[in-house]
Structure formats: structure tokens, C-alpha cells
Amino acid sequence: MLEKGLTKYFTDYLGKESSIFKNKEALQSRYSPQTIPHREEEIEKIANVLAPSLKLEKPSTLLVYGKTGTGKTLTVTHVTDELKKMAELKNLPLKIVYLNCKMKKVSDTEYRLIAELAKELGESVPETGLPTKQVYDIFIKAIEKEKILLILILDEIDQLINKIGGDIIYNLTRINQSLNRSELSFIGITNDLKVKEFLDSRNISSLNDEGVLFPPYDALQLSEILEKRAKIAFKDGVYEQELLTKCAAYAAKEHGDARRALDLLRLAGELAERKGANLVTTNVLDEAFDKLGIDFILEAIQKQPQHSKLVIYSIISSLENKESIDTGDVFEKYTKICMGLKQKPLTQRRVSDLITELDTLGIIEARTISHGRYGKTRNIRSLIPPSTTPKTVKLLKEDLDL
DNA sequence: AGGTATTCACATGAAACTATTCTCTGAGTTAGG
DNA sequence: TAACTCAGAGAATAGTTTCATGTGAATACCTGT
């Protein structure tokens, strides 16, 4: 495109008013609505646990768990925001720190987590060079600077435990023992239900104080949520009730994930907008649904390390004229490809594990079957939709220099 | 015919190895008093 | 002089290999009828 044309294009783009959206923000997952439907009970429970903090009594440790997109983070931040407001009003020394453990800079090591926490409290800690113990000291000093009640919200705490181990939780709860005037309490948010069992078995007295479970939304609840958001996000009359119902049904099928439902709706809106339509139809929604699924798989593939990609490529290319293949064939093909690339192939043992991983990710399906006399193996099928396969192949080829 | 043993082609587990990343320590640097 | 930064060494960790053992059922082989 010529420079001039491009300028014109951008100007046009800016000048053009959206035909569909009134306030797209409302469909973003970070958007925080005024009310959270169908979470009244959970809100109450959390509020109950946290309320003592307004009298400057240390609230119990709280674990919030439930699948993705069930509104955990939203609900917790909603309650704590209110708490903050109230504390400010009454001039209470209550401090609430929210930290998402998925962030790379936090989740890697204990050092980084504590350093980040200290930073949140206004201390600066060097990236490296200090013993972990000392970072703890800095953190503790920061809390002790004045008498405060600190509530830590650790989102996606399972990531932290996976990387660092459960001891970190234990250490955090024990910080209180080295505090004189201030107090620390924390809220853990996780979508991995195993975490609860793990913590219960490990730190029996430290974290099982209180737990709040967020059940998945059902289709009816989802459609109500969507309706509220859609009213804010879309212009009047660009969608029909049926669209929301269908969207909710889609998402409900996938374990009631509200985030997915909102994504889906937003994407449908964007697609309609791009087409210049002034109505979001259920056809567009179907299209959005496909695209979302594809994006999900492509993204997962792209995140894989090189040899996993090679294995995926081996599988896809072996499947060109077959419905399914066995581990042995995949390994053979994979070895050939590695040879072609002058790369040292991984052992069969490792490839077998990679296949297991890809299966868990939902990129392929690997079922163990026995051919009797002719051995036991795993039967592998691709879960990448046929329509996307060429795109995936292209992507992998570019990525792997094939 | 019916029962038992064998066999294949991997799966699955555990231990050992390795390359990378973290942590720690002491020494050097800087800024403020 | 306190506070901070940095480099090098040792420790921890993730990713892999090596070695060992396990597995389900079609087939081969045996047994007694």
C-alpha cells in the first residue's frame, strides 16, 4: 500500500464510528462490572472472612477455588475493592496487594515473588545478588515500617506451587511470627482443585482455614451475564436474544466458562463489524466459535518447544492419507525429519512423553490399544480441525525451517 | 475345543546425567554524611 | 560507612537419556477328548 493510501486508511479507520459496539470494554475479561450476578453467596462468604480486617483483626487465610471463567478473580477484587474504600473512609491502615502469580517475573522463584511483594510495598530490591533470606528481611521491614494489616491476594497460586513448591505458602503464613506490630493474611485463588488437597495435606493448620468454591455457571446464568454485558457493549438493536442464548449454550458446553463466552461474543461482534454488517447474526457467532477454537490450538502449538513441534509435524504429515497412526510410525517419521534437519533426535522414551503431553493439551488424541500378538501401542489422531490443518502445517514449516 | 504360554511393540517407572538457571558470598562501587 | 551491585562458584532444577520392568490380547503351542 502506498504511503498516502495508508494514511488515508488510518484516518478513515479513526474517523469511522463503530457500527456495532458502544463500549467494547465491557466484553473484555478485565472489565469489572458493578454487580456480579449469581455470585451473591460467594461474595457473602468472602466478605464474611474479610470483614474482621475492618476492626484490624487478622482475617483467616482464604482459599478461593473453581474452574477458569467462574468469576473468582472478579469476585475477590470486587469485595476487596469495597473493603479498600471502606478502609480509606475510616482511615484504617489496611493494605491490600494483588499479585498474579502467572506473571513470569513473579512465578519463577521464591526470591522474585518476595522481591515483587516488597516492591509493591514501596521497597526496591535488586534483581539478583541478595540471599533469599535477606529479601524476606526487606519485605518484613517494609511491612513493619508502620502498623498495618496487609492482605495479600495471590491469583493463580497453583502456578506458584508448581514452580516453587508448597513451602512458599508455609513460609508466607509463618511471616506473621516475625512481625511485631503489623499482621499479614492472604487469599489464594486457584483454578486447580488439586491445590486444595495438596495444601490440606501439607500445611494442615495454615491454609485450610476457609475455602470458597466457585461452581461453573450453567447456560441460563451465562446467558444472563451475557445479557448484562451485551447491553453495555453493543449498540441497541444489533443483536437478538437468540444470539446470547446460543453463545451461552456454546460456553456452557465447555464447562461454563464465562470468559470464553464473553470472548466469543466479542469476537462475533468484531467479525460482524469487519464485514461492515450492522447486525450480529448467529452465523457470525458460529464463525467466531470456529476461529476461537482454532486460535486456541494454534496458540498452544506455537508455545511448544522445538521437538514437540517436530513431533506434531510428524503426526500431521503421517496422517495425510490415514485416519490414525501408532507411536512407532510417529517416531520413525520424526527421526527422519530430524536427520533431514541434521538435528539429533530425542529418544523414543522422550517422544512417548511428548505424545502424552500433546494429548493432555488436546492437540492430539492418543489412546493405548493392543494389537495382541503385534504389540501394544498408542493410537494417535489429530484433534486439529481439518480446515486448519494446512495453516498449521504452514506455520510449523516456517517455524522449523522445513 | 479349551487352556496356557509366548510374543510383540511399545507403555511406564526410576535413576542417572547434563545444561541451564538460581542463589549465595565476598569484593568492588557509589552516594551520602 | 552503609547500601547497593556484580561476578564467580556452588546448588538447584528441568529436560533428557539409560536401564528396567510392565502390559493386553492375538497367536502359537499343548493337552485331553
Side-chain angles (χ1 to χ4, degrees), chain A residues 252 347 374:
Chain A
T347 50
Y374 304 107

Side-chain angles (χ1 to χ4, degrees), chain A residues 77-92:
Chain A
T77 45
H78 179 74
V79 175
T80 51
D81 279 352
E82 288 296 315
L83 201 64
K84 249 190 228 169
K85 267 188 222 158
M86 186 61 89
E88 260 165 44
L89 209 68
K90 305 252 173 190
N91 219 354
L92 295 170

Side-chain angles (χ1 to χ4, degrees), chain A residues 13-24 233-235 238 269-270 272-274 277-278:
Chain A
Y13 179 86
L14 277 176
K16 211 192 296 170
E17 206 191 316
S18 166
S19 55
I20 302 281
F21 291 110
K22 190 164 64 185
N23 178 8
K24 200 156 87 178
F234 289 122
K235 291 190 166 175
V238 298
E270 282 170 5
E273 187 172 49
R274 217 172 297 164
N278 47 11

Side-chain angles (χ1 to χ4, degrees), chain A residues 54-67:
Chain A
L54 287 174
K55 291 185 179 169
L56 291 186
E57 290 162 19
K58 182 167 101 65
S60 315
T61 307
L62 175 68
L63 183 64
V64 174
Y65 52 102
K67 295 247 171 73

Side-chain angles (χ1 to χ4, degrees), chain A residues 193-212:
Chain A
L193 301 184
K194 272 181 282 173
V195 168
K196 184 171 166 17
E197 289 166 34
F198 173 75
L199 289 176
D200 280 354
S201 66
R202 287 286 299 281
N203 310 305
I204 291 155
S205 60
S206 61
L207 209 101
N208 68 344
D209 295 3
E210 306 275 350
V212 180

Side-chain angles (χ1 to χ4, degrees), chain A residues 329-344:
Chain A
D329 306 335
V330 174
F331 183 64
E332 202 181 312
K333 181 101 190 181
Y334 160 80
T335 323
K336 261 189 207 156
I337 294 173
C338 282
M339 293 303 184
L341 287 171
K342 299 218 164 67
Q343 286 244 359
K344 196 178 161 220

Side-chain angles (χ1 to χ4, degrees), chain A residues 225-245:
Chain A
I225 293 170
L226 288 177
E227 200 176 326
K228 284 206 168 154
R229 299 277 191 115
K231 255 188 203 147
I232 305 171
F234 289 122
K235 291 190 166 175
D236 289 342
V238 298
Y239 65 92
E240 283 166 7
Q241 185 61 36
E242 194 197 342
L243 181 84
L244 302 184
T245 319

